[in-house]
Amino acid sequence: MSTDPDAQTTRKIVIEAHDVVKRFGGAVAVDQVSIAVGAGEIHAVVGENGAGKSTLMRILAGILTPDSGGVSVNGKLLEPGAKASLEAGIALVHQELSLIPEMTVAENILLGVTPTKFGVIDSARQRKIAGDALDQIGVSVDLNERVSRLSMALRQFVEIARAVARNPRVLILDEPTATLTPAETDYLLSMLQRLAARGLAIIYISHRIPEVFRICERATILRDGQIVEVMTIAETTPNAVIDKMVGRELKLDLQTRRVADPGAVVLSARGIRAARVNGIDLDVRAGEIVGIGGLVGAGRSELVRAIIGVDPRTAGTATITVDGETKNINGYGNAVRSGIAFIPEERRTEGLALDMTVAENITLPNRAALSTGGFLQRGKIAEFATRLANTVGLRPPEVDRAAGEYSGGNQQKVVIAKWLGREPKLIVLDEPTRGVDVGAKSEIHRLLRELADQGTAVLVVSSDLPELLELSDVIHVVRDGRIMGTLSPDEANERSVMALAAGERVASSS
Amino acid sequence: MTHTEIIKTPTPASIAGGSGNSASKTVAWVASRGIFIFTAVLLVFSAIFVNGFASSVNIIDVFHRASAIGIVAIGMTFVVISANYIDLSVVAQIATSGVILMALSPTYGVLGAMAIALFFALLYGLVNGISVGFLKANAVVVTLGTTGIGAGILSLVTGGTIYYGPTGGPIDAFGDARVGPFPLSAFVLIIVAIVASIVLSRTKFGFMIRSYGSNKQATRLAGVNSGGVVVGAFVLTALAAMIAGFVLAAYSNTAVSTMSEGYDFRALAAVIIGGNSLFGGRGSIFRTFIGVIFISVLSNILVLSGFSFAWQQLVTGAVIVFAVALDALARKAEKR
Amino acid sequence: MSTIKLQETQTGTWNRVKSTVARRTEGRAVVLLILVIVVIAMQQPIVFNAYGVSLARVALVGLVALGLTLVVLQGELDLSVGSTLALTGVVVATIPDLGLGIIVGLITGLVIGALNAFLIVIVGVNSFIATLGTLFALRGLAFVLSDGRPVRVTDIDSALTFGRELLGPLTPRVLIFILLFIALQFFTSRMRAGREFYAVGGNRQAAIDAGIPVKLRLFTAFMLCGFVAALAGVINTLELTAADPTAGSSVLLASFAAVIIGGNLLNGGRGSLVGTMIGAFALGLMQVGLTFAGTPREVQDVLIGIILLVAITTEPNNLRALSGRVQRLTRGKANASA
Amino acid sequence: SASNGSDAGGDAGTDGGYNVYALLPQGNDQPYGTNYLKAMNAAAADMGVNLTITNAEYDSAKQANECSVAIASKPDGIILWPAAVDTIRPCLEAAKAAGIPVNASNSDVLPEDKSLVGTYTGPSNDGVGRAAAKLIGDVLGDGGGNIIIVQGLSGNSTAIDREAGFRDELAASYPNVTVIGQQPGDWAKDVALTVTSEMLTSLGEENIDAIYAVDDTMAAGAIEAMENRGIDPTTIPVVGTGNTELGQPNVLSGKQYATLFQSPVWDGENAVTYIVDAIDGKTLEPNYFMPIPEITKDNAAEYPAEW
Ligand SMILES: Nc1ncnc2c1ncn2[C@@H]1O[C@H](COP(=O)(O)OP(=O)(O)OP(=O)(O)O)[C@@H](O)[C@H]1O
Ligand SMILES: Nc1ncnc2c1ncn2[C@@H]1O[C@H](COP(=O)(O)OP(=O)(O)OP(=O)(O)O)[C@@H](O)[C@H]1O
Ligand SMILES: [Mg+2]
Ligand SMILES: [Mg+2]
């Protein structure tokens, strides 16, 4: 496909991808994408969750081999494989951290390129190079510390130092700021500009459009694995970029959002403390959607998991009230029995048994209803599963197919479907649409609204700000395991949430 | 026999369908059912070429070889499918129940002795299960430990005494009993297989074991008491080991603390040759049953053909390697 | 140029010590070893006087465990070490020329390791299953080659001299054991290839992404493991002047125990040869002590079983899981009563 | 000379008593070993000997280490029941160097190692095999015939020695008797039962004229195998070894043609008796062989089973 209308660069092209295609099963993650980045350019790649950004980057870094198309550096086509790409000077900072927990900072920074004398690690040089890399990005950390003992932010910087240490021609960063505070982010961005000034080609992925506009020269916009357009930042506006990303006029029209009439309190948590949760009080009412905002690492997942007993609490109590009867939530099993449903953050590892069928996955939480005298009712199961699959709009609705065969969005629908069977009183979702494509995403949103309208209490953790703003009747913003502020729909906007999440109002105490 | 399972490990690729990978899918289909084909081939081959294999007396011997080990393997399948690799302590468990049966029936009667054996079986199941399920300890190490403790105590208490029942006594009678051409123990094996198969494939509990083996976290987050599931798996294994102990003791009307040496890995071998996945989730009792038949027939014809112990070991090992290699290749073929 | 501070850097020696300790994985092994040493010092001091003998026992328990550790560090397992030991022993004994026999024996070990690695890395069989198969097959081969009988080495006298004390009361076995430990410890802590074992075991995808030759590392580990098992077989054969095809039946579980007690994580990425060494010392010294005391073998089995059970069920994270449950339960009660 | 504190069985009657290590490959884990130990401990108690007993579970490397442990604790004497006779030369030499008398028990050392032991007490396993061969050869008569062997655990030295003696004797004196089949019964009745039955199947009942089961437990298995197939055991003579509690009834009832009485009591007692003599520096014969009476229906009653 041609990208004719797209903005070209006058710079000397360093890295180039030619019509790369990558499929995962049926789903096409990257479709006929071509991209060229010049020396000294910071090039943004933006798109919604699941647009194919990370996949494209993994292809550029030689970690994934494209089904067709290729990657070339300085006009030379690369062999497939990570090694060739590394040698060609491509360094990737992964979205999900890829450090070795039990190795030291120095070892991690030079992983794969450890300097040696006759096979013996040259620790002096190792420490020197690692130290220099950290200096270049201006971060100070004990080189002998085991990475497993570092904070998320610090791990992120170690990852970046690791990329820099290979003094690459091309530096790729996949959502590096997701785990950072504004101060840290600010620092990172200026750092990238310094690196670019030295002639590095930088590819920068972020969901935070302002960052893109601050440092990037051009932006490649992906949607559903395809290039929508390549824009020159100087000649466009954030709204234009967002619209292209989403493929429709995205207006958060607060007037037309559903009017919630919250009923009685269903979930009530008081003084919740746990690992990385430092004393939280929180209520969720029937028919109300409560949103939890904050940065990755703020402890939101830990918060909700502690409330409903997935992870142990160190202090605090949580109660659930169903038709006037109030029960303590001690332990997760008890929570589920009293009408709580939980859609976890990690779909593939916590949400589904991927190699079991959709029907079996749906049966799991409903096993009691679907069995008599300890025996499963097969006929009943098929009928039951199909009904729920249709309710959530699973496509295709073949419940005898293994869950792992479905796309991310459909997998998430299955996770939700299996809980709907229990008609939960409270449904807790952690990152409900992470990696879910646009269509599925809006369907899931519709589903959640309907549930709320039917009087279900909903508690949503999301890093996806538009989603949070769109769904929530009230938003609690979490930082360092504390609620920094609570925003009503009319107070809530990207700015106000971010401000709280970054702790700007309470800068002194952070 | 009921027999539900997910034959292939589904991967995103397997719905890519379309061109090219249909061939590799056929490979996968054949390979994943390899054991059934091999067993059939082996049976036909033996019937034709191995002198005396098809005789009714020999069928009995095949079943004698199959029954005790088969019952253990069927029990072990629950531990394997719950993704816990192996229960090494079955060796100690079999001997314990066998010795208790033979040593205590004179005083407490057969049923009394069985009741006492049941107590110890449950003890084994609970200790193993709780350590693995609730203390999250590695199953191999835990059962290695309980083996040392259990076998040590058994040996301390009984010494090497061979306990034997009166000839013609109830236990001996059971051991010698035939139904048609088959020894009673064969029916015990088949009944255990059917019951186990129903439990694993039809009941809520079996479903939870499979689901747990397939994905521990997701199962727990669906509100399943995952620790309890693991305990259940180990208890079932222990019960099977107990029954195997009875059968083994009855077969020779004797029991001694060393009667079940090697049953741990031999049982696991049967489970694996059957094509059950060690990663859990995937598999069935029927597969284990076939694996047991395969191994038993194999050793039977090796003896019939006069192979020395050495060659029997060598061939058995080679067959295991071949079977598991094929299984792995099948999974690869699917991924492609 | 400005730099930002993201962590409270560890200051003061005490904090350094604390964090250093926190990094180690050998904690429980050390505790056990101290316990054993104290008890022995009170009950069977002779264990220390006859340290040559005691070390020989430690070497007997620990040698194969060293090789096994390399595999475990990568999150794999090798069940075939016992059979490898037996087979190589027979090979050594059946070849008339002792020198040649030893070389062929050691090569056999490497080949077996390569075979295991091939099944696991290339064919893609789970290591537990693959080595279960070779466990049977190699034992069978040992029986075939030896016709099921012990095979006596031709050159008994040279073999005998090998078994004798070489340095003070230390036999070659002990010296080889110590040297091998030093070599492998150096390999896994100072050499790039060895150090990368931790990456392969700790986060295999990340290791691949970083361009580490993961397959090569796996091959290396399994071949080293096979080599060490073979070495043990050679040493046994020389010390005993004969090879027994039934040898090594207890080796697998004993080595496994040493590795586990040594605090090596079976999922890989965490642990060390030092830990295995400590584990081997704890087990070996305990066994010698119990032997001196004439404790029945059964009692020894029970003791070791209990230690294993305790060692594995007291892994810090397991305990945390447990305490979490207990807390919730107790809280449950409290609330109920409230 | 007492170097270790253990006072097990220590009897104030004798001056502190001798400290003796008994390095055994089996013990309470085997029927024979269990009764061997009983007798040994009893004898030791009488003679005021402090016994330290080890069980190497037929792992010769383990036994070698236990040997050096023993030598290190400088006992007055060592009783060695080899796990594998081929592997004990180093142990014997070390003991000799340390000036500790060693007697072999139950399984004799190889001829070339004979000079290194004070004496050997126990059955002649080779002799046991030969005796069995005589019994079978004689019962089959000049016509000879075809026989099968049910062996002990593969690689076990007692089993190997008995088979060797058996085959040698056949070759020497009964050329018409041919061994047409052999399988390990692992010392276990159930295994023996299965393999015998399978050999009967493959070789044909009619072609088998006698069975040598290396011990009575397995003989019992062989007999049951025949009974299960409706063969009258008296028609195919079975010879075993041990005169065990399991075997004797079969001999009495005639189901088992004969056995050879091997007494763990004699074995255990004499091991102690002669190590004391050795320590006391008495001159000893090279061997004190356990009498191995041939037991048949007729005389079985005179020999109560011991294990
Ligand atoms: N290993 C995989 N197997 C199957 N599907 C995958 C795999 N990795 C990614 N996908 C799918 O490919 C599509 C693109 O994923 P990718 O991670 O590239 O999106 P992304 O743009 O990085 O999203 P995000 O902004 O959330 O990081 C998604 O639908 C995702 O579910
Ligand atoms: N400082 C830290 N130290 C250790 N682990 C951390 C740290 N910060 C975050 N994590 C881990 O990273 C993951 C994301 O953090 P967490 O889930 O607490 O944040 P969140 O607010 O839920 O963000 P997310 O949107 O990623 O869920 C969690 O698994 C958490 O355990
Ligand atoms: Mg991404
Ligand atoms: Mg989270």
Side-chain angles (χ1 to χ4, degrees):
Chain A
M1 66 181 251
S2 92
T3 54
D4 253 341
D6 296 342
Q8 305 298 335
T9 180
T10 57
R11 298 174 178 272
K12 172 181 170 302
I13 297 302
V14 179
I15 184 167
E16 204 166 1
H18 320 278
D19 299 334
V20 289
V21 176
K22 183 69 187 176
R23 284 191 197 75
F24 292 109
V28 182
V30 172
D31 188 358
Q32 292 282 326
V33 170
S34 302
I35 179 174
V37 182
E41 171 183 8
I42 304 183
H43 188 109
V45 174
V46 294
E48 294 236 313
N49 295 104
K53 305 182 294 294
S54 299
T55 307
L56 178 59
M57 296 310 126
R58 290 171 73 80
I59 291 170
L60 291 178
I63 292 164
L64 289 176
T65 320
D67 301 341
S68 71
V71 178
S72 59
V73 171
N74 292 339
K76 225 167 88 278
L77 199 65
L78 296 182
E79 302 288 306
K83 207 153 181 52
S85 310
L86 281 171
E87 281 155 6
I90 303 174
L92 168 61
V93 177
H94 292 267
Q95 175 173 19
E96 59 293 322
L97 296 183
S98 63
L99 301 170
I100 309 298
E102 286 310 305
M103 289 184 140
T104 66
V105 170
E107 287 173 323
N108 268 289
I109 290 177
L110 288 173
L111 192 68
V113 294
T114 315
T116 58
K117 283 202 195 103
F118 318 108
V120 181
I121 296 174
D122 182 345
S123 34
R125 263 184 67 213
Q126 190 181 38
R127 297 169 53 78
K128 170 111 182 46
I129 300 173
D132 293 351
L134 285 166
D135 289 345
Q136 278 193 54
I137 65 169
V139 173
S140 71
V141 47
D142 176 359
L143 286 171
N144 293 331
E145 187 57 276
R146 293 274 192 287
V147 160
S148 55
R149 296 161 45 79
L150 298 182
S151 77
M152 272 326 216
L154 209 42
R155 290 184 205 185
Q156 185 63 63
F157 276 97
V158 172
E159 283 264 1
I160 295 169
R162 177 168 152 195
V164 170
R166 287 159 171 70
N167 40 38
R169 291 201 191 82
V170 183
L171 176 58
I172 304 172
L173 304 100
D174 193 348
E175 292 184 42
T177 53
T179 52
L180 302 185
T181 64
E184 295 158 358
T185 305
D186 189 65
Y187 182 84
L188 175 69
L189 297 182
S190 45
M191 183 190 88
L192 292 180
Q193 285 170 314
R194 283 203 305 276
L195 293 174
R198 292 208 243 121
L200 232 71
I202 298 178
I203 302 178
Y204 184 78
I205 296 179
S206 177
H207 287 295
R208 304 188 185 163
I209 305 307
E211 295 174 1
V212 171
F213 274 76
R214 177 170 149 195
I215 61 166
C216 297
E217 185 170 302
R218 293 185 302 154
T220 295
I221 298 161
L222 286 183
R223 191 195 317 145
D224 303 345
Q226 294 180 338
I227 291 191
V228 182
E229 188 172 344
V230 181
M231 295 176 144
T232 304
I233 293 299
E235 302 162 4
T236 184
T237 66
N239 277 329
V241 172
I242 292 175
D243 293 346
K244 289 273 187 236
M245 278 168 52
V246 188
R248 57 189 142 83
E249 293 284 304
L250 177 96
K251 295 239 182 312
L252 286 181
D253 182 354
L254 295 174
Q255 275 62 31
T256 64
R257 56 192 318 289
R258 57 182 275 278
V259 273
D261 54 346
V265 171
V266 173
L267 174 75
S268 166
R270 291 288 173 270
I272 300 294
R273 291 179 173 280
R276 308 186 37 244
V277 177
N278 311 312
I280 293 234
D281 300 348
L282 158 86
D283 287 344
V284 185
R285 292 178 178 69
E288 178 185 44
I289 301 181
V290 173
I292 306 276
L295 301 170
V296 175
R300 296 164 301 170
S301 297
E302 280 77 358
L303 164 59
V304 291
R305 292 170 78 96
I307 290 178
I308 62 177
V310 177
D311 299 342
R313 278 176 232 144
T314 53
T317 58
T319 62
I320 176 162
T321 309
V322 180
D323 352 303
E325 191 197 351
T326 302
K327 291 209 216 77
N328 275 306
I329 302 173
N330 316 308
Y332 181 68
N334 154 306
V336 171
R337 275 189 297 281
S338 30
I340 296 178
F342 177 53
I343 286 86
E345 179 175 9
E346 304 293 341
R347 183 189 320 129
R348 297 181 84 87
T349 59
E350 294 194 324
L352 290 170
L354 291 174
D355 56 8
M356 297 186 101
T357 66
V358 170
E360 285 174 310
N361 274 287
I362 290 180
T363 307
L364 198 48
N366 304 293
R367 57 194 182 284
L370 293 172
S371 55
T372 48
F375 284 85
L376 297 171
Q377 304 295 79
R378 296 186 156 182
K380 213 163 150 194
I381 287 174
E383 175 272 326
F384 183 88
T386 319
R387 181 169 57 79
L388 287 170
N390 292 326
T391 317
V392 296
L394 179 70
R395 269 185 305 280
E398 297 169 11
V399 296
D400 289 336
R401 181 181 276 182
E405 299 180 5
Y406 281 93
S407 74
N410 280 299
Q411 284 178 13
Q412 191 69 347
K413 289 181 192 168
V414 175
V415 183
I416 295 174
K418 72 178 187 183
W419 286 110
L420 293 188
R422 293 179 66 95
E423 286 154 11
K425 299 292 169 293
L426 167 69
I427 179 163
V428 179
L429 306 97
D430 192 355
E431 307 292 352
T433 61
R434 178 172 285 179
V436 170
D437 58 67
V438 190
K441 188 169 175 176
S442 57
E443 290 182 53
I444 290 173
H445 289 175
R446 173 183 54 79
L447 207 62
L448 292 181
R449 287 208 200 79
E450 284 171 9
L451 284 171
D453 293 341
Q454 293 154 17
T456 314
V458 181
L459 180 60
V460 183
V461 173
S462 179
S463 306
D464 183 334
L465 267 180
E467 169 173 272
L468 206 59
L469 296 165
E470 189 182 340
L471 282 177
S472 314
D473 303 322
V474 54
I475 298 177
H476 300 291
V477 183
V478 174
R479 171 173 168 73
D480 294 338
R482 290 189 197 77
I483 291 181
M484 305 309 289
T486 300
L487 302 168
S488 66
D490 30 351
E491 303 167 295
N493 57 47
E494 307 227 355
R495 182 81 200 75
S496 56
V497 174
M498 264 323 196
L500 285 171
E504 284 174 9
R505 268 183 224 166
V506 288
S508 54
S509 84
S510 70
Chain B
M1 167 172 326
T2 56
H3 163 210
T4 57
E5 64 178 72
I6 304 156
I7 296 259
K8 58 187 167 36
T9 330
T11 63
S14 45
I15 61 163
S19 64
N21 87 2
S22 61
S24 61
K25 268 188 146 182
T26 340
V27 176
W29 190 92
V30 175
S32 63
R33 288 162 181 73
I35 182 58
F36 303 119
I37 298 162
F38 295 151
T39 313
V41 172
L42 184 69
L43 286 168
V44 175
F45 170 89
S46 314
I48 299 170
F49 297 105
V50 181
N51 170 21
F53 173 79
S55 63
S56 63
V57 276
N58 190 58
I59 308 282
I60 296 175
D61 288 329
V62 173
F63 272 109
H64 275 317
R65 282 190 176 277
S67 48
I69 192 73
I71 294 168
V72 182
I74 287 168
M76 187 94 79
T77 310
F78 286 95
V79 167
V80 171
I81 287 190
S82 70
N84 280 309
Y85 284 105
I86 186 177
D87 180 349
L88 286 166
S89 65
V90 288
V91 174
Q93 297 180 33
I94 297 166
T96 307
S97 68
V99 166
I100 288 178
L101 179 68
M102 298 313 287
L104 301 188
S105 329
T107 17
Y108 301 93
V110 174
L111 292 182
M114 286 185 165
I116 299 169
L118 176 63
F119 168 79
F120 282 99
L122 292 175
L123 189 63
Y124 267 109
L126 289 175
V127 173
N128 289 335
I130 290 172
S131 309
V132 176
F134 289 105
L135 296 174
K136 304 277 178 290
N138 175 285
V140 181
V141 187
V142 166
T143 55
L144 179 56
T146 47
T147 308
I149 300 170
I153 292 176
L154 181 66
S155 182
L156 271 178
V157 175
T158 70
T161 321
I162 300 183
Y163 298 91
Y164 55 94
T167 322
I171 298 171
D172 188 31
F174 175 92
D176 296 345
R178 305 252 176 293
V179 180
F182 302 115
L184 207 49
S185 60
F187 286 88
V188 178
L189 169 65
I190 291 168
I191 290 166
V192 168
I194 292 174
V195 171
S197 181
I198 291 174
V199 169
L200 185 61
S201 65
R202 291 288 179 87
T203 66
K204 201 168 72 185
F205 174 69
F207 173 67
M208 288 191 283
I209 288 187
R210 284 185 283 128
S211 156
Y212 177 87
S214 173
N215 185 336
K216 291 181 165 63
Q217 264 303 347
T219 306
R220 177 182 169 234
L221 290 183
V224 173
N225 175 350
S226 50
V229 171
V230 174
V231 172
F234 275 96
V235 167
L236 285 181
T237 305
L239 292 177
M242 176 191 74
I243 297 172
F246 295 158
V247 168
L248 194 57
Y251 174 40
S252 61
N253 195 23
T254 57
V256 57
S257 57
T258 54
M259 64 196 280
S260 49
E261 268 165 14
Y263 270 57
D264 44 5
F265 283 122
R266 277 165 58 201
L268 182 67
V271 178
I272 288 166
I273 288 184
N276 294 297
S277 161
L278 254 195
F279 314 110
R282 192 164 143 268
S284 74
I285 297 296
F286 183 64
R287 279 187 172 277
T288 301
F289 184 80
I290 295 299
V292 169
I293 296 299
F294 185 88
I295 286 195
S296 311
V297 170
L298 186 64
S299 10
N300 172 259
I301 61 170
L302 287 170
V303 173
L304 288 183
S305 333
F307 280 93
S308 72
F309 167 80
W311 285 102
Q312 294 170 30
Q313 284 256 316
L314 186 53
V315 173
T316 314
V319 167
I320 298 178
V321 172
F322 179 75
V324 298
L326 193 83
D327 184 54
L329 290 174
R331 242 184 263 108
K332 274 194 170 179
E334 273 170 5
K335 288 228 172 64
R336 224 170 275 116
Chain C
M1 170 184 95
S2 76
T3 75
I4 54 168
K5 206 138 169 301
L6 297 128
Q7 68 162 38
E8 56 305 328
T9 32
Q10 312 262 346
T11 47
T13 40
W14 174 233
N15 285 340
R16 286 225 162 282
V17 173
K18 266 201 304 195
S19 67
T20 323
V21 170
R23 287 172 192 166
R24 303 309 305 176
T25 52
E26 298 87 359
R28 284 164 303 140
V30 173
V31 174
L32 175 62
L33 182 58
I34 294 172
L35 224 73
V36 170
I37 289 179
V38 170
V39 173
I40 287 178
M42 298 188 303
Q43 295 299 319
Q44 295 287 335
I46 182 169
V47 171
F48 301 126
N49 309 339
Y51 63 95
V53 178
S54 308
L55 285 176
R57 183 53 168 254
V58 173
L60 190 64
V61 177
L63 185 55
V64 175
L66 292 181
L68 202 56
T69 309
L70 301 176
V71 175
V72 170
L73 279 181
Q74 301 195 348
E76 303 291 341
L77 211 56
D78 184 350
L79 302 179
S80 69
V81 284
S83 306
T84 309
L85 182 151
L87 177 59
T88 47
V90 171
V91 169
V92 175
T94 36
I95 294 175
D97 179 326
L98 205 52
L100 180 66
I102 294 175
I103 295 165
V104 177
L106 295 177
I107 293 174
T108 313
L110 288 171
V111 173
I112 293 171
L115 171 71
N116 284 334
F118 175 82
L119 286 169
I120 293 151
V121 179
I122 308 297
V123 181
V125 186
N126 163 294
S127 61
F128 189 94
I129 306 175
T131 54
L132 175 67
T134 45
L135 161 91
F136 283 104
L138 297 173
R139 171 77 58 191
L141 198 54
F143 269 87
V144 170
L145 293 182
S146 66
D147 191 22
R149 302 153 194 278
V151 188
R152 205 157 203 202
V153 298
T154 331
D155 181 357
I156 291 187
D157 297 333
S158 343
L160 276 174
T161 44
F162 175 91
R164 297 216 182 79
E165 291 83 354
L166 194 63
L167 187 79
L170 302 185
T171 56
R173 175 192 290 276
V174 176
L175 298 172
I176 292 175
F177 175 61
I178 294 168
L179 292 179
L180 189 75
F181 165 72
I182 295 169
L184 290 180
Q185 174 59 30
F186 181 81
F187 178 64
T188 51
S189 58
R190 293 261 166 282
M191 307 234 343
R192 173 178 169 178
R195 195 62 188 141
E196 285 176 351
F197 284 15
Y198 284 85
V200 175
N203 182 344
R204 193 162 292 187
Q205 188 52 49
I208 296 169
D209 295 353
I212 292 175
V214 169
K215 292 184 174 185
L216 178 62
R217 298 290 175 257
L218 283 162
F219 262 90
T220 317
F222 275 96
M223 287 177 74
L224 279 173
C225 183
F227 177 82
V228 175
L231 190 60
V234 171
I235 295 175
N236 279 0
T237 309
L238 293 180
E239 276 192 354
L240 303 171
T241 71
D244 184 348
T246 65
S249 43
S250 58
V251 161
L252 170 64
L253 298 186
S255 321
F256 196 67
V259 172
I260 294 300
I261 293 175
N264 293 283
L265 194 67
L266 281 169
N267 308 347
R270 200 165 155 74
S272 75
L273 283 148
V274 177
T276 303
M277 190 63 154
I278 298 173
F281 261 88
L283 284 174
L285 293 182
M286 190 168 78
Q287 289 174 4
V288 178
L290 293 166
T291 312
F292 272 117
T295 318
R297 195 209 88 240
E298 292 79 3
V299 178
Q300 302 192 19
D301 293 352
V302 174
L303 275 174
I304 293 175
I306 291 173
I307 288 169
L308 267 179
L309 215 50
V310 172
I312 192 69
T313 47
T314 53
E315 272 196 3
N317 18 7
N318 300 343
L319 285 187
R320 226 171 287 122
L322 182 67
S323 69
R325 290 185 155 280
V326 173
Q327 277 179 13
R328 248 172 295 155
L329 287 180
T330 48
R331 194 182 303 107
K333 304 266 178 305
N335 292 332
S337 60
Chain D
S1 73
S3 61
N4 87 22
S6 100
D7 57 356
D11 177 346
T14 55
D15 49 338
Y18 291 130
N19 292 308
V20 172
Y21 263 76
L23 308 176
L24 315 179
Q26 59 167 258
N28 278 327
D29 52 350
Q30 301 287 335
Y32 190 87
T34 311
N35 296 278
Y36 178 101
L37 281 183
K38 281 204 199 90
M40 176 175 253
N41 283 316
D46 296 346
M47 310 171 81
V49 172
N50 307 333
L51 272 181
T52 309
I53 296 165
T54 70
N55 172 0
E57 293 173 285
Y58 286 95
D59 179 336
S60 27
K62 219 166 165 192
Q63 190 173 54
N65 180 266
E66 286 164 353
C67 176
S68 35
V69 169
I71 293 168
S73 63
K74 306 192 186 61
D76 303 299
I78 294 177
I79 300 167
L80 174 63
W81 173 351
V85 289
D86 313 65
T87 66
I88 57 162
R89 164 82 70 86
C91 171
L92 298 177
E93 299 222 330
K96 184 173 193 163
I100 302 169
V102 180
N103 283 357
S105 172
N106 185 282
S107 304
D108 197 0
V109 299
L110 297 172
E112 58 262 45
D113 299 340
K114 204 67 177 153
S115 60
L116 294 168
V117 294
T119 183
Y120 166 73
T121 64
S124 157
N125 287 320
D126 176 271
V128 168
R130 290 179 180 282
K134 284 203 189 64
L135 283 162
I136 284 182
D138 295 340
V139 70
L140 290 179
D142 303 339
N146 301 327
I147 66 163
I148 59 173
I149 300 177
V150 182
Q151 247 297 18
L153 196 63
S154 303
N156 172 279
S157 54
T158 307
I160 293 169
D161 294 348
R162 285 183 189 168
E163 182 193 340
F166 182 82
R167 286 179 178 272
D168 293 351
E169 181 62 26
L170 284 188
S173 326
Y174 305 93
N176 301 341
V177 179
T178 42
V179 179
I180 60 171
Q182 166 170 347
Q183 288 292 338
D186 301 2
W187 302 129
K189 188 185 169 192
D190 60 312
V191 183
L193 200 169
T194 307
V195 294
T196 309
S197 181
E198 286 168 337
M199 283 192 282
L200 287 168
T201 304
S202 58
L203 303 168
E205 313 170 359
E206 62 284 1
N207 305 327
I208 295 171
D209 305 310
I211 300 175
Y212 174 40
V214 172
D215 85 357
D216 282 354
T217 311
M218 298 190 290
I223 290 164
E224 188 158 341
M226 289 192 272
E227 289 178 328
N228 288 351
R229 310 162 66 102
I231 305 170
D232 172 2
T234 54
T235 59
I236 300 180
V238 179
V239 173
T241 300
N243 188 42
T244 66
E245 289 170 359
L246 203 57
Q248 202 190 31
N250 288 331
V251 177
L252 279 168
S253 67
K255 288 178 180 176
Q256 178 173 337
Y257 167 65
T259 187
L260 296 151
F261 182 19
Q262 178 169 335
S263 163
V265 175
W266 188 101
D267 209 358
E269 274 172 9
N270 287 278
V272 178
T273 316
Y274 285 100
I275 193 64
V276 170
D277 288 358
I279 297 168
D280 293 338
K282 300 215 179 95
T283 50
L284 299 171
E285 309 275 321
N287 300 309
Y288 294 92
F289 285 126
M290 174 193 302
I292 304 287
E294 300 177 352
I295 311 287
T296 58
K297 205 173 193 307
D298 317 326
N299 63 349
E302 303 154 29
Y303 296 90
E306 289 180 358
W307 54 293

